[in-house]
Amino acid sequence: MNAAIAPPAESGRTARYAQIVRLSKKSEWQIDRDLLQDRNFDFSRKFLPDGLSRVDMLPFLNPKDARLLSQIQGRTYAYIFGLVERFISAKMLDQGRAHALEDQHALEALVRFTNDEIKHQELFRRMEEMVGEQMPAGYRQMANPDDVARAVLAASTWAVLALTCHIELFVQSHYVESIHTTEDLCPLFKDVFKYHWKDESQHVVLDEIEWKDEHARLTPEQRDQAVNDLIALVGAVDGILQAQSVADAEYFVRNASREYSDGEIADIQSVVLGAYRWQYIITGVRHPHFVKLLSSMTTPAQIARIQAALAPIMAG
Ligand SMILES: [Fe+2]
Ligand SMILES: [Fe+2]
């Protein structure tokens, strides 16, 4: 028998990818059939729990306004995921291409991952339309997904995979620790992020494999540059959060049930920025598994550089 055409023995690695594909097929869901089902968002309830929105840190808000601020942040929550999924899907398409002529289970796992993110973007676009119909005009999205994706994808693959892994890990903690455990949120909002979480908990397994593989391919100098790229990417995310928090606080103040003093408006702006930094940066970089992965792929000097760059954001 010609050894060149003998089927390769299934390695542990291939078996792992095959298992990811099996799980992905088993838990596959559709936007209309399984999730939306002609339902709508319930504006008599909060969307994001206080543990993420931090509206409970503004004691001068009446319950109606606290609910409105939670709904505005929930609308932005869906928008920000749709935004980051543009670069995540593009990156996973590239990562999958690299497996196209080798491990077919790896290829399928990454194609399915890409497909999930395309589906999530459709879900979040439709959510924005549904929520937009029920809320006053004037809500603004401050960053364009394609512009952000172009900028992110110019960074080293190591940094993009690290950022992706960080995002997909904080999805886990947000759902499990806050959204799932908070009673009395809008049921459809809760379900959207339950279905999203189901897919994301599978994606993190692939993020880790891809990130570690990329790490193994790089020289120490390339790794050092990748750490600089990661710091720049987190800084860029923070720039988006700053702009969006100002827009969302303004939109809230214009549509709230009463007028707020300048001091109260300053408090609202700072709590919203703090909430966005908490949601999209701090809960990720403090996630125990992210800490473990990042420490295993960086030197103490690189970790110190990352910590110094993050200090102003973590304090905010
Ligand atoms: Fe997603
Ligand atoms: Fe994902």
Side-chain angles (χ1 to χ4, degrees), residues 14-42:
T14 294
R16 201 168 175 210
Y17 281 119
Q19 167 74 357
I20 292 168
V21 171
R22 266 196 299 278
L23 266 175
S24 163
K25 286 179 177 166
K26 210 172 145 195
S27 60
E28 199 170 54
W29 53 273
Q30 286 181 17
I31 295 176
D32 287 293
R33 185 192 66 191
D34 306 309
L35 172 57
L36 295 182
Q37 300 174 334
D38 293 323
R39 292 189 293 166
N40 220 324
F41 292 95
D42 180 355

Side-chain angles (χ1 to χ4, degrees), residues 85 117 120 196 200:
E85 284 166 346
E117 297 299 5
H120 298 167
H196 187 235
E200 299 299 324

Side-chain angles (χ1 to χ4, degrees), residues 81-82 84-85 88 113 116-121 124 167-168 171 196-197 199-200 203:
F81 279 115
V84 298
E85 284 166 346
I88 295 175
F113 182 158
D116 288 344
E117 297 299 5
I118 293 168
K119 178 177 69 179
H120 298 167
Q121 290 177 69
F124 295 134
I167 291 168
E168 301 201 310
V171 168
H196 187 235
W197 161 75
D199 289 348
E200 299 299 324
H203 296 174

Side-chain angles (χ1 to χ4, degrees), residues 155-167:
S156 65
T157 292
W158 189 101
V160 179
L161 292 172
L163 184 68
T164 303
C165 190
H166 148 269
I167 291 168

